Amino acid sequence: MATPSSSSALAPQSGDVIEFSFLWKHERDAGLLEGVKDRRCVIVAVLAEGRHVVVVPITGTEPDHDEKIPLPGGVLGLERPSWIVVSELNVTVWPGHDLRPARIPSGAWWRYGRLSDALRRRLADEMQALVQAGLANVVTRT
């Protein structure tokens, strides 16, 4: 688990891929306070001078909606094709208790790597459009 004393000198950046206990909206609505499983996620935004981040999940099961961005297998340590789910967001403190160590870290104990600039911009644009339209499921974590 992340602790302030174990934080890396590398600050989180938009596009960083991390291991995180993501809490889906349907899980929160069912009364859960923690995610059911740890998963790869992408930091989409860094807020409050790095004290908070916005995180979206990566899943290996293709979602049955259009709010997804495909990732090929073999990138960022993903063994099979996966999808970034653009419509589900967690806003959380950094580094929070839901941050997990990367199994194969890159540059920091918590980081798998970083999305390409083009993919990072696409993700940010699609997420922002969903948030502005009121179509994103936002779960605020503490």
Side-chain angles (χ1 to χ4, degrees):
M1 262 190 238
T3 65
S5 64
S6 67
S7 63
S8 170
L10 181 64
Q13 295 180 7
S14 173
D16 282 343
V17 176
I18 63 174
E19 189 83 8
F20 185 77
S21 179
F22 190 86
L23 183 64
W24 300 86
K25 181 182 181 296
H26 71 270
E27 292 173 343
R28 185 203 56 199
D29 291 349
L32 296 176
L33 299 175
E34 300 290 330
V36 171
K37 102 180 209 186
D38 296 343
R39 67 177 55 251
R40 302 256 169 99
C41 293
V42 180
I43 296 174
V44 182
V46 179
L47 311 170
E49 298 176 5
R51 292 188 306 270
H52 292 84
V53 293
V54 179
V55 177
V56 295
I58 297 174
T59 181
T61 303
E62 184 173 5
D64 60 0
H65 53 74
D66 293 333
E67 294 82 29
K68 62 190 175 202
I69 297 174
L71 293 172
V75 300
L76 300 165
L78 298 167
E79 297 172 2
R80 59 189 174 132
S82 298
W83 293 263
I84 301 171
V85 180
V86 183
S87 58
E88 294 274 345
L89 295 82
N90 280 189
V91 180
T92 189
V93 295
W94 182 266
H97 66 279
D98 293 315
L99 180 63
R100 306 292 191 250
R103 286 179 224 126
I104 303 173
S106 174
W109 64 268
W110 47 265
R111 183 179 186 260
Y112 282 102
R114 191 163 192 257
L115 298 179
S116 68
D117 288 342
L119 191 53
R120 183 183 49 76
R121 282 191 298 275
R122 177 180 173 193
L123 173 57
D125 290 347
E126 289 186 24
M127 185 205 67
Q128 183 177 16
L130 288 170
V131 169
Q132 288 176 341
L135 300 174
N137 295 319
V138 181
V139 175
T140 301
R141 313 281 300 275
T142 56

